[in-house]
Amino acid sequence: MSRARSATARAPWRTWAAAALLWAAVQAVAAPPQRIVSLVPGLTESVCALGACDRLVGTDRYSNWPAAVQALPKLGGLDDVPIERIAALKPDLVLAAPSTRAVPRLQALGLRVVVLHTRSHEDVQHNLQTLGQLLGDEAAARAAWAAIQAQMAQAAARVPAALRGRSVYFEVETSPYAAGPGSFIGQTLQRLGLVNIVPAALGPFPKLSPEFVVQAQPDIVMAETRNLQSMAGRPGWAALRALQRQQVCAFAAADYELLVRPGPRMGQAALQLAGCLAGLDKEAR
Amino acid sequence: MSADATARRRLQAGLALASAVLLAAGLAAGGEGWSPAALFQLLGSPDAALIVGQIRAPRTLGAWLTGALLGLAGALAQGLFRNPLADPFLLGSASGASLAVVAMLAAGALGGMEALPGLLPRIGLVGAAFVGALAGVLLTLLLARGAQHTLRLLLAGVVVGVVLSAFSDLLTIAVPEALRGRQAFMLGSTGTLGWDGCVMLALGLALLLPLAQKLSRVLDALVLGEDSARSLGLPLPALRLGLVVLLAAATGLAVSQAGLVAFVGLAAPHLVRRLAPGLHGHLLAASALAGGVLLLAADVVARTLTAPQELPVGLLTAVFGGAYLLWLLNRQQDR
């Protein structure tokens, strides 16, 4: 007792500093963040879906939904994260994708950085949960996920029975890169009853041999409109029966962007895919 | 005192002055654009310690230090290979460092380390880049069977560069998680330099520059040709290896901290030779100064040109440096 008192008497500031630090730490953990920077479009959308859009103070340059975020400061892309401008915004939470250079630097500056993946449905669910906990509104997170699930089910029900089990090629990039079954896009396609021509072992977004696609002869081809238009002109691709029979889903740039956003609008994306598939069935008849 | 000695002193004073001015400019060039007035306002605000002290100051100093290491490496390479077109990156050190970093990132991603990028050991990446740079240059030397034939050396450097880059590509296709790290690495940038990086760069420069100057007499002797150097009783193979290690160390350190910043190493020694020719003792130190000035100037421009966006400084030096190289080649043809 007397020892403890003398220690306190010797360095009272230490005790106070420790107490202050502890208090600050507890506050930092307990208080929901009020100034959020999101460096990933899907996470920006998730924050807004949880009703915390007004707490965002900046986003990456690709975040464009909902419209409210378009007026926020734009903080670069993946490779040119402006550290200084982010720090100047004094965020109490930074949401980021794994990045080898920016994330450690931001953390070294004392910012609270939460790194989240956006590859699969599970990632999106996990991100909503995490954000719900961080923002102190787990009910909203559960509701947002339930809404996605409801839209997915609705979309699946809308797909004509004749198309179930058909094979699909979803092109992400013309080299060609495809959306594999493990990606969030592939998972949605599977949910709609389609079979991916890409084996799961190749990973979420594999680069394919053009031959592979031609040999696989997908029943349905999906791509952004401008890529789909040039597809038949690629050597040998004119032989794709899906192209000959117009069993294709072409998406305008804005619609395509919705499809490749792993976030709260995944259900809406599924409905958009289902809408195209319903149209295909009519054409086939 | 000869005219050359006066020119040398003038150049050194000029570069030191330019360094001081640019360091100040670097502190004033912010994320929102260029403004000394804004700097004074900022210095008075409570944000000063964070924005200026923790972000702008280390990246500004880091840019200068990186440039100085590259200038030193360039002067070493040009002296060692007796070729005015030798650039530390033309000899495979950059692609070697890049491959090592990508391999490290890929290994980290496969090992599940990507979930914790904050714990990604920075020392490890620096070490990997260093070893990679050394391996790249040595591979080039091996393929060229030494440094006697400059043409063969440059060709070997090109081959090593292409092959090692191809391996990097292969790795990033196999492990896409490493792609972003590589991209950030290829677009040299000072944006993520902190005080810890500055300390490493400063220690590196403080260690490498005196060592290089100790070996500068070897470079002076090499100007006369290998045979003359050997006739002076110099143990050439050992000294040459020492110079290669210094070159790779300087390049690897710069590349590991700031990524691939092209052409500073090529341009700085030329600038010095043009303005104040002299022995290598002078050339090495002045090239380091000039490299620091060049990269810091480019960095200030890169930060302010498209503010509030920011160009990676490597792009800027590649464009300007590339133009300079073309002009240089043109001039040599005309002669």
Side-chain angles (χ1 to χ4, degrees), chain B residues 17 31 56 78 100 102 138 140 172 188-190 192 208 219 243 251 257 260 267 282 333 335:
Chain B
L17 184 70
R56 262 186 227 175
Q78 290 176 13
V102 169
L138 284 179
T140 301
T172 51
S189 167
T190 60
T192 53
L208 295 172
L219 294 174
L243 285 166
T251 317
Q257 293 291 348
L260 206 146
H282 150 75
Q333 272 171 3
R335 257 185 210 169

Side-chain angles (χ1 to χ4, degrees), chain A residues 61 78-85 87-88 90 97-105 107-109 115 117 119 177 207, chain B residues 30-32 47 50-51 54-56 58 105 114 117-118 177 180-181 183-184 189 191-194 257-258 308-310:
Chain A
R61 80 167 67 92
L78 291 173
D79 300 315
D80 57 344
V81 177
I83 307 284
E84 184 184 319
R85 292 183 59 222
K90 296 196 162 298
S99 151
T100 49
R101 291 171 78 87
V103 171
R105 184 71 188 114
Q107 283 170 335
L109 289 169
V115 175
H117 285 284
R119 294 170 302 201
Y177 279 86
K207 179 162 168 39
Chain B
E32 304 290 347
D47 290 352
L50 175 68
I51 302 293
Q54 289 299 312
I55 299 176
R56 262 186 227 175
L105 292 174
E114 25 86 68
E177 276 90 345
R180 195 170 302 153
Q183 177 80 346
S189 167
T192 53
L193 271 168
Q257 293 291 348
Q309 283 190 46
E310 185 176 318

Side-chain angles (χ1 to χ4, degrees), chain A residues 24 53 70 74 117 125 164 179 227 261:
Chain A
C53 222
Q70 287 172 12
K74 292 294 168 212
H117 285 284
Q125 185 182 14
R164 299 250 159 85
N227 294 343
R261 281 277 165 91

Side-chain angles (χ1 to χ4, degrees), chain B residues 120-198:
Chain B
L120 229 159
R122 194 152 182 155
I123 305 278
L125 276 187
V126 172
F130 176 78
V131 171
L134 192 68
V137 174
L138 284 179
L139 190 59
T140 301
L141 281 172
L142 214 66
L143 280 181
R145 288 188 223 119
Q148 286 89 339
H149 300 277
T150 48
L151 184 63
R152 195 194 278 175
L153 188 70
L154 288 177
L155 281 176
V158 169
V159 170
V160 167
V162 170
V163 170
L164 295 188
S165 304
F167 276 113
S168 292
D169 286 333
L170 198 65
L171 261 180
T172 51
I173 283 180
V175 188
E177 276 90 345
L179 185 65
R180 195 170 302 153
R182 176 165 195 237
Q183 177 80 346
F185 191 79
M186 297 303 283
L187 302 169
S189 167
T190 60
T192 53
L193 271 168
W195 284 119
D196 52 346
C198 277

Side-chain angles (χ1 to χ4, degrees), chain A residues 45-124:
Chain A
E45 298 189 8
S46 297
V47 169
C48 289
L50 299 186
C53 222
D54 55 338
R55 295 196 220 168
L56 286 169
V57 292
T59 72
D60 67 295
R61 80 167 67 92
Y62 304 108
S63 289
N64 54 5
W65 190 93
V69 306
Q70 287 172 12
L72 293 173
K74 292 294 168 212
L75 304 167
L78 291 173
D79 300 315
D80 57 344
V81 177
I83 307 284
E84 184 184 319
R85 292 183 59 222
I86 292 176
L89 287 170
K90 296 196 162 298
D92 47 14
L93 176 65
V94 178
L95 303 173
S99 151
T100 49
R101 291 171 78 87
V103 171
R105 184 71 188 114
L106 289 169
Q107 283 170 335
L109 289 169
L111 294 176
R112 183 181 182 197
V113 184
V114 172
V115 175
L116 295 168
H117 285 284
T118 47
R119 294 170 302 201
S120 61
H121 284 190
E122 291 75 23
D123 283 344
V124 172

Side-chain angles (χ1 to χ4, degrees), chain B:
Chain B
M1 269 274 141
S2 70
D4 273 357
T6 317
R8 282 198 285 277
R9 257 185 290 123
R10 265 197 205 141
L11 177 71
Q12 279 158 9
L15 287 173
L17 184 70
S19 297
V21 170
L22 283 167
L23 285 171
L27 291 180
E32 304 290 347
W34 163 267
S35 162
L39 174 66
F40 281 115
Q41 200 187 346
L42 184 63
L43 284 178
S45 79
D47 290 352
L50 175 68
I51 302 293
V52 178
Q54 289 299 312
I55 299 176
R56 262 186 227 175
R59 74 171 295 185
T60 302
L61 184 63
W64 189 91
L65 288 167
T66 306
L69 278 171
L70 289 174
L72 173 66
L76 277 172
Q78 290 176 13
L80 178 63
F81 302 127
R82 283 177 293 147
N83 187 328
L85 292 181
D87 170 315
F89 295 150
L90 288 177
L91 299 176
S93 59
S95 45
S98 162
L99 175 59
V101 166
V102 169
M104 183 106 173
L105 292 174
L110 289 178
M113 212 160 64
E114 25 86 68
L116 303 164
L119 299 181
L120 229 159
R122 194 152 182 155
I123 305 278
L125 276 187
V126 172
F130 176 78
V131 171
L134 192 68
V137 174
L138 284 179
L139 190 59
T140 301
L141 281 172
L142 214 66
L143 280 181
R145 288 188 223 119
Q148 286 89 339
H149 300 277
T150 48
L151 184 63
R152 195 194 278 175
L153 188 70
L154 288 177
L155 281 176
V158 169
V159 170
V160 167
V162 170
V163 170
L164 295 188
S165 304
F167 276 113
S168 292
D169 286 333
L170 198 65
L171 261 180
T172 51
I173 283 180
V175 188
E177 276 90 345
L179 185 65
R180 195 170 302 153
R182 176 165 195 237
Q183 177 80 346
F185 191 79
M186 297 303 283
L187 302 169
S189 167
T190 60
T192 53
L193 271 168
W195 284 119
D196 52 346
C198 277
V199 168
M200 269 187 241
L201 288 166
L203 283 178
L205 188 65
L207 188 74
L208 295 172
L209 186 58
L211 281 176
Q213 288 202 301
K214 248 189 191 148
L215 291 176
S216 69
R217 285 186 47 235
V218 183
L219 294 174
D220 292 333
L222 274 174
V223 172
L224 305 171
E226 305 248 331
D227 293 339
S228 309
R230 217 169 279 126
S231 71
L232 289 171
L234 294 171
L236 267 192
L239 291 174
R240 174 168 273 153
L241 187 68
L243 285 166
V244 169
V245 169
L246 290 181
L247 162 63
T251 317
L253 193 54
V255 161
S256 63
Q257 293 291 348
L260 206 146
V261 181
F263 286 109
V264 170
L266 176 73
H270 278 283
L271 201 78
V272 172
R273 271 197 297 264
R274 168 157 310 251
L275 295 176
L279 294 176
H280 275 87
H282 150 75
L283 187 62
L284 291 172
S287 295
L289 268 176
V293 167
L294 285 178
L295 184 51
L296 183 50
D299 191 47
V300 170
V301 173
R303 272 193 261 168
T304 48
L305 205 59
T306 59
Q309 283 190 46
E310 185 176 318
L311 293 170
V313 70
L315 292 183
L316 216 66
T317 57
V319 170
F320 291 140
Y324 179 75
L325 182 61
L326 280 178
W327 176 76
L328 201 74
L329 284 169
N330 233 347
R331 245 184 85 255
Q332 284 185 340
Q333 272 171 3
D334 289 347
R335 257 185 210 169

